Amino acid sequence: MGNFRRVCLLTVAVFLAVCFSFHGLAVDGNRTVAGSQTRTYFQETRQELTIHTIEGRQKGPTLLIIAGIHGDEGAGCLTAERYIDVKLEKGNLIIVPRLNGPAVDSGKRCGLGGDMNRLFNLPPGSSNPDAKLVNLAKQLIRQSDYVLNLHQGHDFYNPRWVSRKRNPSKWGQSNVIDKATYHLPSGRKLELGNFAKQVANRTNQRISDGDFHFTVNNTNTSGKRSRHREQRGSLTYYSLYHQQKIALGLEATKNCSLAEAISYLTIAINAAIEEAGIRAEALPSESRQSAGELWEARSKSLSKGKGKG
Ligand SMILES: [Zn+2]
Protein backbone atom coordinates (compact mmCIF):
# COMPACT_ATOMS: atom_id res chain seq x y z
CA MET A 1 0.00 0.00 0.00
CA GLY A 2 2.90 2.34 0.93
CA ASN A 3 4.48 1.78 -2.48
CA PHE A 4 1.13 2.28 -4.18
CA ARG A 5 0.70 5.68 -2.43
CA ARG A 6 4.22 6.70 -3.41
CA VAL A 7 3.53 5.80 -7.05
CA CYS A 8 0.23 7.76 -6.93
CA LEU A 9 1.91 10.83 -5.44
CA LEU A 10 4.71 10.64 -8.00
CA THR A 11 2.16 10.37 -10.83
CA VAL A 12 0.26 13.43 -9.53
CA ALA A 13 3.53 15.39 -9.14
CA VAL A 14 4.61 14.57 -12.72
CA PHE A 15 1.13 15.48 -14.03
CA LEU A 16 1.19 18.86 -12.23
CA ALA A 17 4.74 19.57 -13.42
CA VAL A 18 3.66 18.93 -17.03
CA CYS A 19 0.55 21.11 -16.64
CA PHE A 20 2.37 24.04 -15.09
CA SER A 21 5.23 23.95 -17.56
CA PHE A 22 2.64 24.65 -20.31
CA HIS A 23 3.89 21.99 -22.70
CA GLY A 24 7.52 22.57 -21.87
CA LEU A 25 7.45 26.38 -21.92
CA ALA A 26 8.21 27.85 -18.51
CA VAL A 27 6.15 30.86 -17.41
CA ASP A 28 8.38 33.74 -16.29
CA GLY A 29 5.71 36.05 -14.85
CA ASN A 30 2.23 35.35 -13.56
CA ARG A 31 -0.54 37.59 -12.21
CA THR A 32 -4.02 36.39 -11.33
CA VAL A 33 -7.07 38.53 -10.56
CA ALA A 34 -10.57 37.01 -10.11
CA GLY A 35 -11.56 35.62 -13.51
CA SER A 36 -8.43 36.82 -15.29
CA GLN A 37 -4.79 35.86 -15.55
CA THR A 38 -1.74 37.47 -17.13
CA ARG A 39 1.27 35.34 -18.02
CA THR A 40 4.58 36.58 -19.41
CA TYR A 41 7.00 34.38 -21.34
CA PHE A 42 10.60 34.98 -22.39
CA GLN A 43 10.83 37.87 -19.90
CA GLU A 44 13.73 40.30 -20.29
CA THR A 45 14.29 39.17 -23.88
CA ARG A 46 13.38 40.97 -27.10
CA GLN A 47 10.69 38.34 -27.68
CA GLU A 48 8.90 38.92 -24.36
CA LEU A 49 5.29 37.82 -24.80
CA THR A 50 2.29 38.55 -22.57
CA ILE A 51 -0.90 36.49 -22.68
CA HIS A 52 -4.11 37.66 -20.99
CA THR A 53 -6.80 35.10 -20.20
CA ILE A 54 -10.30 36.16 -19.08
CA GLU A 55 -12.80 33.60 -17.84
CA GLY A 56 -16.52 34.29 -17.80
CA ARG A 57 -18.82 33.48 -14.89
CA GLN A 58 -20.72 31.02 -17.09
CA LYS A 59 -19.11 28.41 -19.33
CA GLY A 60 -19.06 29.21 -23.04
CA PRO A 61 -16.84 29.37 -26.11
CA THR A 62 -13.27 30.69 -26.05
CA LEU A 63 -12.16 33.35 -28.52
CA LEU A 64 -8.48 34.07 -29.12
CA ILE A 65 -7.44 37.60 -30.20
CA ILE A 66 -3.92 37.81 -31.63
CA ALA A 67 -2.30 41.09 -32.70
CA GLY A 68 1.18 42.20 -33.69
CA ILE A 69 2.11 39.27 -35.92
CA HIS A 70 3.15 42.06 -38.33
CA GLY A 71 4.90 44.97 -36.61
CA ASP A 72 3.88 47.70 -39.06
CA GLU A 73 0.14 47.29 -38.41
CA GLY A 74 -0.07 49.17 -35.11
CA ALA A 75 -3.84 49.53 -34.88
CA GLY A 76 -4.14 45.79 -34.12
CA CYS A 77 -1.93 45.93 -31.00
CA LEU A 78 -3.65 49.05 -29.66
CA THR A 79 -7.08 47.53 -30.27
CA ALA A 80 -6.24 44.18 -28.64
CA GLU A 81 -5.00 45.96 -25.51
CA ARG A 82 -8.49 47.43 -25.04
CA TYR A 83 -9.86 43.95 -24.20
CA ILE A 84 -7.53 42.93 -21.39
CA ASP A 85 -9.75 44.38 -18.63
CA VAL A 86 -13.11 43.25 -20.06
CA LYS A 87 -15.32 41.33 -17.60
CA LEU A 88 -17.23 38.39 -19.06
CA GLU A 89 -20.61 36.97 -18.13
CA LYS A 90 -20.31 34.00 -20.48
CA GLY A 91 -17.39 32.43 -22.39
CA ASN A 92 -13.71 33.24 -22.34
CA LEU A 93 -11.17 35.46 -24.09
CA ILE A 94 -7.45 34.91 -24.64
CA ILE A 95 -5.63 38.06 -25.75
CA VAL A 96 -2.12 38.40 -27.16
CA PRO A 97 -1.58 42.09 -28.03
CA ARG A 98 2.03 41.75 -29.28
CA LEU A 99 2.82 38.30 -30.66
CA ASN A 100 5.90 39.45 -32.58
CA GLY A 101 7.54 41.88 -30.10
CA PRO A 102 10.72 42.63 -32.09
CA ALA A 103 8.63 43.47 -35.20
CA VAL A 104 6.25 45.71 -33.19
CA ASP A 105 9.16 47.49 -31.47
CA SER A 106 10.82 48.27 -34.81
CA GLY A 107 7.54 49.09 -36.58
CA LYS A 108 8.47 46.64 -39.34
CA ARG A 109 6.52 43.74 -40.83
CA CYS A 110 9.10 41.10 -39.89
CA GLY A 111 10.74 40.26 -36.57
CA LEU A 112 13.77 38.04 -35.94
CA GLY A 113 12.69 35.10 -38.10
CA GLY A 114 11.06 36.68 -41.18
CA ASP A 115 7.34 37.13 -41.87
CA MET A 116 5.77 35.35 -38.89
CA ASN A 117 2.49 34.85 -40.75
CA ARG A 118 4.36 32.45 -43.07
CA LEU A 119 5.96 30.41 -40.26
CA PHE A 120 3.01 28.30 -39.10
CA ASN A 121 4.14 25.40 -41.31
CA LEU A 122 7.74 25.27 -40.05
CA PRO A 123 9.07 21.71 -39.68
CA PRO A 124 9.32 20.39 -36.10
CA GLY A 125 12.64 21.27 -34.50
CA SER A 126 13.12 24.29 -36.79
CA SER A 127 15.97 26.59 -35.78
CA ASN A 128 14.00 29.70 -36.83
CA PRO A 129 14.31 32.16 -33.90
CA ASP A 130 10.54 32.80 -33.99
CA ALA A 131 9.62 29.10 -33.72
CA LYS A 132 9.13 29.36 -29.93
CA LEU A 133 6.60 32.21 -30.35
CA VAL A 134 4.79 30.33 -33.12
CA ASN A 135 4.65 27.17 -30.95
CA LEU A 136 3.19 29.15 -28.07
CA ALA A 137 0.54 30.64 -30.39
CA LYS A 138 -0.31 27.09 -31.54
CA GLN A 139 -0.93 26.07 -27.90
CA LEU A 140 -3.35 28.98 -27.50
CA ILE A 141 -5.14 28.09 -30.73
CA ARG A 142 -5.64 24.55 -29.34
CA GLN A 143 -7.42 26.02 -26.29
CA SER A 144 -9.78 28.17 -28.41
CA ASP A 145 -12.96 27.75 -30.44
CA TYR A 146 -12.60 30.95 -32.45
CA VAL A 147 -9.41 32.72 -33.58
CA LEU A 148 -9.03 36.35 -34.70
CA ASN A 149 -5.75 37.54 -36.22
CA LEU A 150 -5.69 41.36 -36.40
CA HIS A 151 -4.07 43.13 -39.37
CA GLN A 152 -4.02 46.36 -41.32
CA GLY A 153 -3.76 46.36 -45.10
CA HIS A 154 -3.53 48.99 -47.82
CA ASP A 155 -6.64 50.09 -49.71
CA PHE A 156 -9.86 48.05 -49.85
CA TYR A 157 -10.62 44.43 -50.69
CA ASN A 158 -13.41 43.80 -53.20
CA PRO A 159 -14.16 40.45 -54.88
CA ARG A 160 -14.41 42.29 -58.22
CA TRP A 161 -12.10 44.92 -59.75
CA VAL A 162 -13.73 48.29 -59.02
CA SER A 163 -10.67 50.54 -59.07
CA ARG A 164 -6.93 50.58 -58.45
CA LYS A 165 -7.62 50.94 -54.72
CA ARG A 166 -10.61 48.59 -54.50
CA ASN A 167 -10.04 45.15 -56.01
CA PRO A 168 -9.36 41.42 -55.26
CA SER A 169 -5.62 41.89 -54.58
CA LYS A 170 -6.23 44.36 -51.71
CA TRP A 171 -6.86 43.46 -48.07
CA GLY A 172 -8.33 46.50 -46.24
CA GLN A 173 -11.77 46.29 -44.55
CA SER A 174 -12.17 42.55 -44.99
CA ASN A 175 -12.86 39.44 -42.92
CA VAL A 176 -10.38 36.96 -44.34
CA ILE A 177 -11.14 33.22 -44.35
CA ASP A 178 -9.17 30.36 -45.93
CA LYS A 179 -12.27 28.37 -46.92
CA ALA A 180 -16.04 28.94 -46.70
CA THR A 181 -17.03 25.41 -45.55
CA TYR A 182 -14.60 22.98 -43.91
CA HIS A 183 -15.68 19.33 -43.68
CA LEU A 184 -14.67 17.63 -40.44
CA PRO A 185 -13.90 13.88 -40.38
CA SER A 186 -17.00 13.43 -38.16
CA GLY A 187 -19.22 14.64 -41.01
CA ARG A 188 -19.88 17.95 -39.25
CA LYS A 189 -19.07 21.16 -41.10
CA LEU A 190 -17.35 24.33 -39.97
CA GLU A 191 -19.19 27.15 -41.71
CA LEU A 192 -16.53 29.85 -41.72
CA GLY A 193 -18.17 31.67 -44.62
CA ASN A 194 -21.43 32.10 -42.69
CA PHE A 195 -19.63 33.20 -39.54
CA ALA A 196 -17.51 35.76 -41.44
CA LYS A 197 -20.61 37.07 -43.24
CA GLN A 198 -22.63 37.43 -40.02
CA VAL A 199 -19.70 39.26 -38.39
CA ALA A 200 -19.48 41.57 -41.44
CA ASN A 201 -23.26 42.24 -41.28
CA ARG A 202 -23.10 43.13 -37.58
CA THR A 203 -20.00 45.28 -38.22
CA ASN A 204 -21.44 47.19 -41.17
CA GLN A 205 -24.61 48.11 -39.27
CA ARG A 206 -22.36 50.19 -37.03
CA ILE A 207 -20.28 51.88 -39.79
CA SER A 208 -22.18 54.75 -41.41
CA ASP A 209 -19.76 55.33 -44.31
CA GLY A 210 -20.42 52.56 -46.86
CA ASP A 211 -16.92 52.99 -48.34
CA PHE A 212 -15.57 51.47 -45.11
CA HIS A 213 -17.88 48.47 -44.90
CA PHE A 214 -16.24 45.06 -44.40
CA THR A 215 -16.42 42.33 -47.07
CA VAL A 216 -15.74 38.60 -46.70
CA ASN A 217 -12.42 37.76 -48.38
CA ASN A 218 -12.23 34.01 -49.03
CA THR A 219 -8.64 33.31 -50.13
CA ASN A 220 -9.48 29.64 -50.85
CA THR A 221 -5.92 29.03 -49.70
CA SER A 222 -5.68 25.28 -50.36
CA GLY A 223 -7.11 25.60 -53.89
CA LYS A 224 -4.81 24.96 -56.87
CA ARG A 225 -5.81 28.28 -58.42
CA SER A 226 -5.74 30.30 -55.19
CA ARG A 227 -4.17 33.73 -55.62
CA HIS A 228 -2.91 33.47 -52.04
CA ARG A 229 -1.04 30.15 -51.83
CA GLU A 230 1.54 31.91 -49.63
CA GLN A 231 -1.14 31.91 -46.90
CA ARG A 232 -0.60 28.16 -46.37
CA GLY A 233 1.97 29.18 -43.76
CA SER A 234 -0.41 31.58 -42.01
CA LEU A 235 -1.86 31.49 -38.53
CA THR A 236 -5.47 31.23 -39.73
CA TYR A 237 -4.68 28.43 -42.23
CA TYR A 238 -2.94 26.47 -39.45
CA SER A 239 -5.92 27.09 -37.11
CA LEU A 240 -8.39 25.69 -39.64
CA TYR A 241 -6.42 22.88 -41.28
CA HIS A 242 -4.49 21.59 -38.25
CA GLN A 243 -6.80 22.46 -35.33
CA GLN A 244 -10.22 22.74 -37.01
CA LYS A 245 -10.98 26.17 -35.51
CA ILE A 246 -13.08 28.98 -36.98
CA ALA A 247 -10.34 31.48 -37.79
CA LEU A 248 -10.69 34.98 -39.25
CA GLY A 249 -8.12 37.52 -40.30
CA LEU A 250 -9.59 40.94 -39.47
CA GLU A 251 -8.05 43.51 -41.80
CA ALA A 252 -8.61 47.21 -41.21
CA THR A 253 -7.53 49.56 -43.98
CA LYS A 254 -4.41 51.71 -43.67
CA ASN A 255 -6.21 54.40 -45.71
CA CYS A 256 -7.56 56.19 -42.64
CA SER A 257 -6.33 57.67 -39.36
CA LEU A 258 -5.01 55.34 -36.66
CA ALA A 259 -7.98 56.28 -34.42
CA GLU A 260 -10.38 55.27 -37.21
CA ALA A 261 -8.57 51.96 -37.78
CA ILE A 262 -8.77 51.21 -34.02
CA SER A 263 -12.47 52.04 -34.11
CA TYR A 264 -13.09 49.71 -37.13
CA LEU A 265 -11.17 46.83 -35.52
CA THR A 266 -13.00 47.35 -32.22
CA ILE A 267 -16.35 47.17 -34.03
CA ALA A 268 -15.29 44.00 -35.89
CA ILE A 269 -14.00 42.27 -32.72
CA ASN A 270 -17.13 43.21 -30.76
CA ALA A 271 -19.23 41.79 -33.62
CA ALA A 272 -17.22 38.52 -33.59
CA ILE A 273 -17.57 38.24 -29.79
CA GLU A 274 -21.35 38.67 -30.07
CA GLU A 275 -21.64 36.26 -33.01
CA ALA A 276 -19.62 33.63 -31.10
CA GLY A 277 -22.13 33.81 -28.22
CA ILE A 278 -19.70 35.33 -25.69
CA ARG A 279 -21.29 37.90 -23.37
CA ALA A 280 -19.40 40.74 -21.69
CA GLU A 281 -20.54 43.19 -18.98
CA ALA A 282 -19.35 45.92 -21.35
CA LEU A 283 -17.21 45.90 -24.50
CA PRO A 284 -14.73 48.65 -25.47
CA SER A 285 -16.27 51.79 -26.98
CA GLU A 286 -16.54 51.72 -30.76
CA SER A 287 -16.47 55.49 -31.24
CA ARG A 288 -13.61 57.13 -33.11
CA GLN A 289 -13.36 59.71 -30.35
CA SER A 290 -12.59 57.15 -27.66
CA ALA A 291 -10.15 55.36 -29.99
CA GLY A 292 -8.47 58.73 -30.64
CA GLU A 293 -8.26 59.51 -26.91
CA LEU A 294 -6.74 56.08 -26.30
CA TRP A 295 -4.15 56.72 -29.01
CA GLU A 296 -3.25 60.17 -27.59
CA ALA A 297 -2.89 58.81 -24.05
CA ARG A 298 -0.79 55.93 -25.34
CA SER A 299 1.52 58.23 -27.37
CA LYS A 300 2.05 60.43 -24.29
CA SER A 301 2.93 57.47 -22.06
CA LEU A 302 5.25 56.07 -24.74
CA SER A 303 7.10 59.38 -25.19
CA LYS A 304 7.36 59.73 -21.39
CA GLY A 305 8.80 56.21 -21.19
CA LYS A 306 11.41 57.06 -23.80
CA GLY A 307 12.29 60.31 -22.04
CA LYS A 308 11.11 62.48 -24.93
CA GLY A 309 9.10 65.76 -24.77
ZN1 LIG B 1 -0.68 41.81 -41.54
Coordinates of all heavy atoms in Angstrom, one line a residue, residues 17 25-26 44 71 86 92 124 135 175 187 189-191 194 265 275 295 297 302:
A17 N 3.6 18.9 -12.8 CA 4.7 19.6 -13.4 C 4.5 19.8 -14.9 O 4.8 20.9 -15.4 CB 6.0 18.7 -13.2
L25 N 7.0 25.0 -21.9 CA 7.5 26.4 -21.9 C 7.3 27.0 -20.5 O 6.1 27.1 -20.1 CB 6.6 27.2 -22.9 CG 6.9 26.8 -24.4 CD1 5.8 27.2 -25.3 CD2 8.2 27.5 -24.8
A26 N 8.3 27.3 -19.9 CA 8.2 27.8 -18.5 C 7.6 29.3 -18.5 O 7.9 30.1 -19.4 CB 9.6 27.9 -17.9
E44 N 12.4 39.7 -20.2 CA 13.7 40.3 -20.3 C 14.4 39.9 -21.6 O 15.7 40.0 -21.7 CB 14.7 39.9 -19.1 CG 14.0 40.1 -17.7 CD 14.0 41.5 -17.2 OE1 14.9 42.3 -17.6 OE2 13.0 41.8 -16.5
G71 N 4.6 43.8 -37.5 CA 4.9 45.0 -36.6 C 4.5 46.3 -37.2 O 4.6 47.3 -36.5
V86 N -11.7 43.5 -19.9 CA -13.1 43.2 -20.1 C -13.5 42.2 -19.1 O -12.8 41.3 -18.7 CB -13.3 42.8 -21.5 CG1 -14.7 42.0 -21.7 CG2 -13.3 43.9 -22.5
N92 N -15.1 32.9 -22.7 CA -13.7 33.2 -22.3 C -13.0 34.0 -23.5 O -13.3 33.7 -24.7 CB -12.9 32.0 -22.0 CG -13.7 31.0 -21.1 OD1 -14.0 31.3 -20.0 ND2 -14.0 29.9 -21.7
P124 N 9.0 20.5 -37.5 CA 9.3 20.4 -36.1 C 10.8 20.5 -35.9 O 11.6 20.0 -36.7 CB 8.8 19.0 -35.7 CG 8.0 18.5 -36.9 CD 8.4 19.3 -38.1
N135 N 5.1 28.4 -31.7 CA 4.6 27.2 -30.9 C 3.7 27.6 -29.8 O 2.7 26.9 -29.5 CB 5.9 26.4 -30.4 CG 6.6 25.6 -31.6 OD1 6.0 25.4 -32.6 ND2 7.8 25.4 -31.4
N175 N -12.9 40.6 -43.8 CA -12.9 39.4 -42.9 C -12.3 38.3 -43.7 O -13.0 37.7 -44.6 CB -14.3 39.1 -42.4 CG -14.8 40.1 -41.5 OD1 -14.1 41.0 -41.0 ND2 -16.1 40.0 -41.2
G187 N -18.1 14.3 -40.2 CA -19.2 14.6 -41.0 C -19.8 16.0 -40.7 O -20.5 16.6 -41.5
K189 N -19.7 20.1 -40.3 CA -19.1 21.2 -41.1 C -18.8 22.4 -40.3 O -19.6 22.8 -39.4 CB -20.0 21.6 -42.2 CG -20.3 20.5 -43.2 CD -21.3 21.1 -44.2 CE -22.0 20.0 -45.0 NZ -23.2 20.4 -45.7
L190 N -17.6 23.0 -40.6 CA -17.3 24.3 -40.0 C -17.7 25.4 -41.0 O -17.1 25.4 -42.1 CB -15.9 24.5 -39.6 CG -15.3 23.7 -38.4 CD1 -13.8 24.1 -38.3 CD2 -16.1 24.1 -37.1
E191 N -18.7 26.2 -40.7 CA -19.2 27.2 -41.7 C -18.5 28.5 -41.5 O -19.1 29.4 -41.0 CB -20.7 27.3 -41.6 CG -21.5 26.0 -41.9 CD -21.5 25.6 -43.4 OE1 -20.9 26.3 -44.2 OE2 -22.1 24.6 -43.7
N194 N -20.3 31.5 -43.4 CA -21.4 32.1 -42.7 C -21.0 33.0 -41.5 O -21.6 34.0 -41.3 CB -22.4 31.0 -42.2 CG -23.1 30.3 -43.3 OD1 -23.1 30.8 -44.4 ND2 -23.7 29.2 -43.0
L265 N -11.5 48.2 -36.1 CA -11.2 46.8 -35.5 C -12.0 46.5 -34.3 O -12.4 45.4 -34.0 CB -9.7 46.8 -35.2 CG -8.8 46.6 -36.5 CD1 -7.3 46.6 -36.1 CD2 -9.1 45.3 -37.2
E275 N -21.2 37.4 -32.1 CA -21.6 36.3 -33.0 C -21.2 34.9 -32.5 O -21.9 33.9 -32.7 CB -21.0 36.5 -34.4 CG -21.5 35.6 -35.5 CD -23.0 35.7 -35.8 OE1 -23.6 36.8 -35.6 OE2 -23.6 34.7 -36.2
W295 N -5.4 56.6 -28.3 CA -4.1 56.7 -29.0 C -3.3 57.9 -28.4 O -2.1 57.7 -28.3 CB -4.5 56.9 -30.5 CG -3.3 57.3 -31.3 CD1 -3.2 58.4 -32.1 CD2 -2.0 56.7 -31.4 NE1 -1.9 58.4 -32.7 CE2 -1.2 57.4 -32.2 CE3 -1.5 55.5 -30.8 CZ2 0.1 57.0 -32.5 CZ3 -0.2 55.2 -31.0 CH2 0.6 55.9 -31.9
A297 N -3.4 59.2 -25.4 CA -2.9 58.8 -24.1 C -1.7 57.9 -24.2 O -0.7 58.0 -23.5 CB -4.0 58.1 -23.2
L302 N 4.1 56.6 -24.0 CA 5.3 56.1 -24.7 C 6.4 57.1 -24.8 O 7.5 56.8 -24.5 CB 4.9 55.7 -26.2 CG 4.2 54.3 -26.4 CD1 3.8 54.2 -27.8 CD2 5.0 53.2 -25.9

